[in-house]
Amino acid sequence: MTSGVSSAKSPFNTSTERVERVLCFTAHPDDIDFGAAGTIAAWTAAGVQVTYCIMTDGDAGGFDPVDRERIIELRATEQQRAAELVGVKDIRYLHEHDGYLEPTHNVIKQVVKLIREIRPDIVLTMHPERNWDRLQKSHPDHLAAGEAVTRAVYPAVENPFAYPELAEAGLMAYKLPWLWFISSPEDRENHFVDVTKHVDAKLDAIRIHASQHPDIEGMERVVRGMLMANGARAGLPAGASAESFHVVSVNGSSTIAGF
C-alpha cells in the first residue's frame, strides 16, 4: 500500500485500508502519468494490480502534422511503454474520438462493465468539475470522463437492474469502496500520497509521451514544481513530493443502501 498523507478532511485511512486492485479511467494517453504515475508506481511496487482504461485514442493530440496518419498507433505505443515503467501491463481502450467524449449511456455502460469485471477497491478517474485556477486540467474530455465514471459508480455499478444485459452475461452488481479523482480543483483535494521515491519513474513515464511535449525540459520543471508544492501542502519535509487527490468514500461503514 502507498504511504498516504491524508489531510484532516480525507476519508481514506492509509494504515487501515486494504488495496489489492485499482482501475484507472482517463480521457487520453498520458493523462494518467501526469495525474498519478507516482502513486501507481508505489501501488504496483506493493503488489497492487492496476489496470488502465483510456477512453479515447488521443487521435487529436500531438503537434507534428507528419504524425497524423499514425497518431493513434504512436500514442498507444507511448502509453504502453509509459505504463510498463510504473509496473502496469493491463491497458484497455474505449476507442472514443479525442475531443468528442461525452457521458453517454454507451460510454457509461462500458465503464460499468469493466468495473464489474475487475471489481477494484479503488476507481481512479478525472474530476468532473472544472478547475478555474488551471483550466488545462479541465479539457472537455477530462470532464466527460469524470462525469461518465461518476455516473457509472453510482448507481449503475451497484444496481442489479441497471444494464440488465451485463448481469445476464455474468457481470453482477458490485459496491465500489472508493472513488479517487485527479485533475481536481484544489479546494476539493483532501488526500496526498508521498511519491518522493517515485518522482523519477513518474517523469520517465511522462517523457515517453514525446509526441505531446514540444518542450520536455519546461514540462519537467513544471511537474517537479507541482509535486514539491503538493508536498509542502501535505506537510511533508522540505523537498519532498506528493500527488494530490479528491477521495470520495462510495461504500463504507456508514453507507446505507440507497443513501
Side-chain angles (χ1 to χ4, degrees), residues 202-235:
K202 178 184 177 75
L203 290 172
D204 286 346
I206 293 174
R207 289 189 202 101
I208 293 293
H209 300 280
S211 68
Q212 308 306 299
H213 308 305
D215 181 4
I216 294 285
E217 292 183 358
M219 174 277 297
E220 183 170 329
R221 285 195 301 273
V222 169
V223 172
R224 286 187 183 275
M226 288 181 174
L227 293 173
M228 292 179 69
N230 285 338
R233 289 170 58 210

Side-chain angles (χ1 to χ4, degrees), residues 16-157:
T16 59
E17 291 296 330
R18 183 176 179 84
V19 178
E20 296 180 349
R21 291 183 299 279
V22 175
L23 174 56
C24 306
F25 292 93
T26 58
H28 314 106
D30 83 358
D31 289 339
I32 191 63
D33 297 301
F34 275 103
T39 300
I40 289 164
W43 272 329
T44 60
V48 176
Q49 174 189 317
V50 179
T51 298
Y52 291 172
C53 179
I54 314 300
M55 300 174 82
T56 81
D57 289 321
D59 44 291
F63 297 91
D64 190 343
V66 175
D67 289 336
R68 286 305 91 196
E69 293 185 1
R70 64 187 188 97
I71 191 65
I72 293 176
E73 179 183 0
L74 175 60
R75 298 203 70 183
T77 300
E78 288 176 340
Q79 184 62 89
Q80 181 178 359
R81 291 173 57 204
E84 289 172 352
L85 290 176
V86 294
V88 176
K89 298 179 180 178
D90 186 12
I91 306 177
R92 319 288 181 92
Y93 286 87
L94 297 190
H95 300 296
E96 297 292 313
H97 286 298
D98 189 345
Y100 292 82
L101 184 64
E102 297 286 350
T104 64
H105 275 288
N106 179 59
V107 171
I108 294 167
K109 177 182 172 180
Q110 293 181 77
V111 174
V112 171
K113 180 177 182 292
L114 192 52
I115 294 174
R116 288 189 183 181
E117 175 190 332
I118 292 178
R119 306 178 89 77
D121 303 295
I122 294 172
V123 163
L124 185 151
T125 192
M126 316 197 78
H127 210 283
E129 297 181 35
R130 185 166 273 110
N131 187 330
W132 293 111
D133 294 326
R134 189 172 181 81
L135 195 59
Q136 289 82 357
K137 286 187 174 183
S138 301
H139 186 294
D141 285 349
H142 295 183
L143 302 178
E147 183 64 25
V149 174
T150 302
R151 292 190 196 183
V153 163
Y154 184 80
V157 163

